[in-house]
Structures are given as structure tokens and as C-alpha cells.
Amino acid sequence: MGSNSCRSLRPIYFLIAVAMVFMCIESAKGSPIGVPNLSQCQLTTDTSVVPPLTTIHLNCCLPIPSGPVVDYSFDKYKVNTTRVRIAAQTASDDYIAKYREAYTLMRSLPQDDPRSFSTQANIHCAFCNGAYKQEGNDSVILQVHFSWLFLAWHRWYLYFHERILASLLGDPTFALVFWNWDDQRDGGNVIPAMFLPSNSSLYDANRNQANLPPTLVKLVPGITGNDSEIINQNLNAMYQGIVTNDNAELFMGGAYVTGTDLANSTVLNAPLGGSIENGVHNAMHFWTGDPDQPLLQDMGTFTTAARDPIFYAHHSNVDRLWDKWRYGLPGGPRADHSDPDFLNAEFYFYDENANLVKVNVADALDSSKLGYSYPNVAADDLWVNYSPPAITSGSAVEAAVSSGAPLVGAAPENGTIALGSGLTAIVDAPGNQSHADNQREVLVIQGLQVTRDTFVSVLVFVNLPNANSSTSTSSAEYVGTYNIIVDPGKTITTNVKFEIGDNLQRIGIQNDQQVVISLAVKGTQPITIQGLLIEYE
Ligand code: C2O
């Protein structure tokens, strides 16, 4: 398979050629991710590149139960109750006591028990740090981030984690809490009190000590200002990341199939993470992890993130926001991907009886079928209805041209462009070109390449030629942020997409044929891109 065999077609071997053309067409379609061979596990290490030099050994190889693999079905895993996941800041003392008890029990299981806290954390490490190869492609590692797999995989992960906790407690109604960090009014936007006492099973010492309450969360890394300025920037991060990205690719991410290789991709086949993952989700990992640890452990790097019990509450909110995006936003229900390569992707997890279970993406799409739900959260309205003010009027193209901003086009036109501390560029836009109703005006950062030695954010602004890494992100000129989690020595080449039609409309430059795009980099990693493109898609 792959391009080598496609290239060697020779007309003389007609039949062989026909067969190979067929194979090439087949392979271009890809095939859904399958479950890995758990007996072929790789040990690796994560070594910090910034002092102090630290190596984390990644033995996140998972136990292989002796019993048969269970094929998941709703029937087999039916519960006669709905587990209601509540906001962490609303949990009662009784609820918290039970929650602590559940994690105490989980932490006291032997390490190699599939249900132990250590195995639960290793599941995340294993599928995020390359312990396994893709089924059917031994040369490429399996990675559940940076693509359309992200939401469904984490939903299943929490589902079984919650079932194990419930079963250890002997309480079928037990439900995870969600860390309501998007709530900027009712107490959600700080570390929830239940995770703070150091004598509790919910505690983790490796958190940013400067971010304990009352410090407000920052949904864009490094934003500054007083509390109300932080709040507006948080609301705009939610608005730009969740509300305006109303198609599945923008919100959930793009295709990841057998053969998709994050370490070896081109603009054409580069993976694409969704806005929820790249934006607020990654920002909260960064915000929670300990900057005194070289890899921002625990939450700031995938190897260790799930060693902090707050991880599961964090992801519970990400999961809630998927439902909110799907069913709860103006304009009616939105659609998940429907591609069979998405629906048929399969994963392994352990259930509450320590069995290995095979699940697929299709079964994850309706959370009500999985027996849990989230209450309505009133403070969602603040970001759903956030109306970012435009701080510019009229096109900034002329000003940008006179200060020397280059015209940047789609790859491969401009070759490789180093970003340095940022880049301001003029980019051709489709303006009022006709398009279908469901199409959105999208900015594509093509072939963004970064070595993940330290945490990096790329902030994107439109019509603001002087934007830099300290520009406020509360206005309509702010488009979104691409954040990338630390994984030393790993390089990713990816495309990044942002809906910008809403921004252009608010500024009043929606019909312009050229717009000014500024990328502002936070962090010290060298970043290159291969092109900028604005199109309806
Ligand atoms: Cu698997 Cu929040 O990352």
C-alpha cells in the first residue's frame, strides 16, 4: 500500500497494474482505526529538554486479561439508573466524601489490576505517547489526540472509569463531576475545592501552585488583565472555540485512519485537531500542570495527565461541551461526522470486572444511551451569547502593506515560513463569493510544524496588524488559539482551521478580497508553516 507501489505501475503488466490501481484507490480511502495488539507494547521515555533534566519512564504497557475480549453492546452494559454528572463546585459534602472513597478504593488496588488508578492513568499514556502501533500498520503509532478520535475516545475512557468507581463503591448511581471551567459566574472557573485538601485521594501535588483559588482559570494561555478582563477573554475563547465552529471538522477535528502518521505528514494528509481540543482543552491542561516540573506534570503532559484525579473532571466538562455543541446551541442540533472511517473506529478499555472491552465510535455518539447525563448549566449562556466587540473598523490591509507585511498564499506557494515571535500577513479571501448555506469561511494554517519540546500557543487575530502575544483576546479580532501539549522529541505537522466568517462580519469586512491575518506565538519553540488559505468549506 502507499505511494511507492502506486508509483511503480508499468503498462506492460496490464493486469497487475489494474490490480494495483485498485489497491491505490482502496488505500486512498483509508480504513478505520482498529484495536491494537496489546502484546506488542513499546517502552519509551520522555526526557525534558529544559533544565532540570528529567526523564519519565513510559512503561504504560497495559495488562492483558486472560479472559475473552467483550464486544460492547448497550444491553450488556445496561444500568437501571441515569448517572447525573454534576458541576464539581456544586457537590455536597456527602457527594465529596463518596467521591474520595471511590478514588481511595481505586488507588488501593494492585498496580497491575486493570481497574487500578495506576492502570487507569496508563491507559491515557499508552494511547497518547506511542505505546502501541496501529492495527494493520506496524510502522505508525496509535494516537487518540489531534483528530476526530479525540472526543469519542475520551468519552469511552470516562465511561469505564466511572463504572469502575461505581462498582468499587457498590453504588450504581455514582457519577463523575465535571470541572465547569467555562462558567465565568457561578464559581466554576477556579480549581474546585473538592480537589484541594492534601490529605485526600483527590489531591495531586503536581499542580501549578500559583493557580490555586481564587486565581481564575485562563482559557487562553498567558492572558493578562484584571478579573473582568480575564473573564471576557475566557468567554470569547468559548465563543470562538465552540459557538462559531458549527461543523464537525472544525469542532471535533479531521480524519485519522490507519496510516495517518503525525510524525510524518504533508499538508495534504496532515491531521487536524478540533477547536475544542486545540483551544480550551489544551489550555486547561497547561494551566493546571506544574511549571516547576520540566514537562509541566501532571496535567501539562499526556504521559502523566491522568495521574491527577482532576483530569477526569476536566474531561467530563469537555464531554459535556460536546453534548452542548451537538444539541444545545442556537441554530438547532449540529451534526457529528458520519464517515464510516469515523463511526467504525475501535478502541479497547477495561470494564468494572477487569475485562477487556472492544468499543466503537458510533456507540459513543449518544450519551443518553450510555446511561449518564449532565444538568443544564445556566452560566453557559454567558459564552453562548457573548458578543465580542470589534475594536477596529475598516480594512487594515493598506496599513499592513505599508508596514511591509507579506502576501502569503496557500502551500506550496511560499515554501516554509518560520514564525519567530509571530507573523502578520495579507491573505486572499473569497469575500462575497457565492457558497452553500452550510459552508463557513475558514482560515487554514497549512502544514504547521512544531517540535513539542515545550508548551507552545499560536494566537490568531484578524485585521489587527500589530497583534502580538500580549494582545487582549476579548475582541472580535481574536480568532482562536492553537495550543500544543509537551511531548519532548516529538514533532507534529498539522493543519489548523478556524472559522473566521463571524469575525469578519462583526468587523464589517466580510466582503473584502484580502484580509490581514496575524499569528502571535507564545513559547520558544521554532514553528514553521507552509501556507495560509481562506476559503469556504
Ligand atoms: Cu487525552 Cu485532555 O487529553
Side-chain angles (χ1 to χ4, degrees), residues 281-423:
H281 159 264
N282 282 352
M284 284 306 298
H285 274 280
F286 172 75
W287 188 84
T288 311
D290 183 355
D292 292 335
Q293 301 287 334
L295 303 176
L296 298 169
Q297 302 98 308
D298 282 332
M299 276 282 277
T301 189
F302 289 145
T303 321
T304 55
R307 295 180 190 175
D308 187 339
I310 211 169
F311 170 94
Y312 306 90
H314 168 49
H315 269 276
S316 187
N317 198 41
V318 171
D319 189 69
R320 180 184 78 87
L321 292 169
W322 180 11
D323 272 1
K324 180 79 184 176
W325 174 86
R326 176 90 173 75
Y327 303 106
L329 293 178
R334 296 172 174 189
D336 293 322
H337 285 286
S338 56
D339 189 323
D341 284 343
F342 171 71
L343 299 174
N344 298 327
E346 292 177 329
F347 312 124
Y348 275 147
F349 288 98
Y350 303 106
D351 71 11
E352 62 277 18
N353 298 313
N355 292 316
L356 195 60
V357 193
K358 190 163 84 175
V359 299
N360 65 31
V361 164
D363 286 344
L365 299 183
D366 184 346
S367 59
S368 71
K369 287 194 184 152
L370 298 174
Y372 70 90
S373 68
Y374 298 99
N376 197 44
V377 178
D380 286 352
D381 291 353
L382 267 63
W383 54 261
V384 172
N385 301 320
Y386 183 72
S387 181
I391 54 172
T392 58
S393 62
S395 169
V397 168
E398 232 172 87
V401 170
S402 56
S403 60
L407 182 68
V408 171
E413 194 176 302
N414 289 65
T416 298
I417 304 162
L419 287 193
S421 63
L423 170 76

Side-chain angles (χ1 to χ4, degrees), residues 133-273:
K133 297 287 168 48
Q134 294 175 357
E135 185 214 30
N137 195 333
D138 273 358
S139 57
V140 183
I141 64 161
L142 176 55
Q143 169 59 265
V144 298
H145 297 85
F146 316 115
S147 77
W148 66 15
L149 297 183
F150 171 77
L151 286 171
W153 186 88
H154 288 81
R155 174 167 285 180
W156 279 121
Y157 184 29
L158 295 191
Y159 171 81
F160 287 108
H161 185 74
E162 180 175 72
R163 290 183 72 101
I164 293 167
L165 292 166
S167 130
L168 291 170
L169 279 175
D171 178 356
T173 68
F174 174 85
L176 293 171
V177 295
F178 61 90
W179 180 3
N180 197 182
W181 32 255
D182 57 300
D183 155 34
Q184 304 304 311
R185 185 186 63 205
D186 299 332
N189 56 350
V190 292
I191 296 185
M194 65 187 279
F195 293 97
L196 293 174
S198 59
N199 61 353
S200 137
S201 60
L202 308 181
Y203 181 70
D204 185 54
N206 292 336
R207 293 181 189 142
N208 188 340
Q209 297 303 306
N211 286 345
L212 301 180
T215 307
L216 300 184
V217 302
K218 292 180 171 146
L219 298 183
V220 179
I223 48 175
T224 56
N226 60 30
D227 279 5
S228 87
E229 287 161 342
I230 296 289
I231 283 172
N232 280 335
Q233 294 179 84
N234 285 344
L235 292 173
N236 201 27
M238 292 300 297
Y239 177 77
Q240 301 293 344
I242 317 285
V243 180
T244 64
N245 289 325
D246 63 357
N247 73 48
E249 191 185 54
L250 289 171
F251 176 74
M252 312 177 76
Y256 182 96
V257 295
T258 307
T260 306
D261 186 353
L262 274 75
N264 188 16
S265 54
T266 65
V267 166
L268 275 183
N269 64 11
L272 175 80

